Amino acid sequence: MAEQEAADGRAESGRVVKDMAITHADFFRTLTPLLQGVRHEVSGQGVTIWPGQGCIAIRLGPEGTRALGNFRLPRTSVELTFQDC
């Protein structure tokens, strides 16, 4: 991902999309302890985090599964958007 720097040296907005082996429930369960003391807002489809300067928005796509032979893994598309981080 190419990043451009703003006049103050911070990177401008950027977007990353990942295909992750996680359910929505597991995402929120594992993320919650990491957000203690950090300004954030949780919605049904993700979370927005303000870690001091800038903003990070994480949006979850629909849940699915990935088959590896007889083995099934959860599958969720996760979009991370960074603003002035």
Side-chain angles (χ1 to χ4, degrees), residues 33-85:
L34 301 175
L35 296 176
Q36 291 183 6
V38 178
R39 184 175 156 229
H40 66 281
E41 182 178 305
V42 176
S43 71
Q45 297 303 312
V47 62
T48 303
I49 307 164
W50 295 272
Q53 292 184 341
C55 173
I56 303 166
I58 304 172
R59 299 291 167 250
L60 304 177
E63 289 184 11
T65 59
R66 178 184 306 267
L68 299 172
N70 290 333
F71 192 65
R72 302 279 183 260
L73 290 173
R75 180 180 186 183
T76 300
S77 176
V78 179
E79 178 183 328
L80 300 100
T81 306
F82 302 89
Q83 286 283 94
D84 298 323
C85 292

Side-chain angles (χ1 to χ4, degrees), residues 1-3 8-9 11 13 16 19 23 45 51-53 62 66-67:
M1 172 177 77
E3 293 181 346
D8 63 1
S13 65
V16 177
D19 189 30
T23 64
Q45 297 303 312
Q53 292 184 341
R66 178 184 306 267

Side-chain angles (χ1 to χ4, degrees), residues 4-35:
Q4 297 176 346
E5 291 201 10
D8 63 1
R10 291 182 292 158
E12 292 181 359
S13 65
R15 181 174 167 263
V16 177
V17 178
K18 298 287 185 179
D19 189 30
M20 300 183 72
I22 194 166
T23 64
H24 289 198
D26 284 340
F27 170 82
F28 287 112
R29 181 183 52 77
T30 57
L31 184 67
T32 300
L34 301 175
L35 296 176

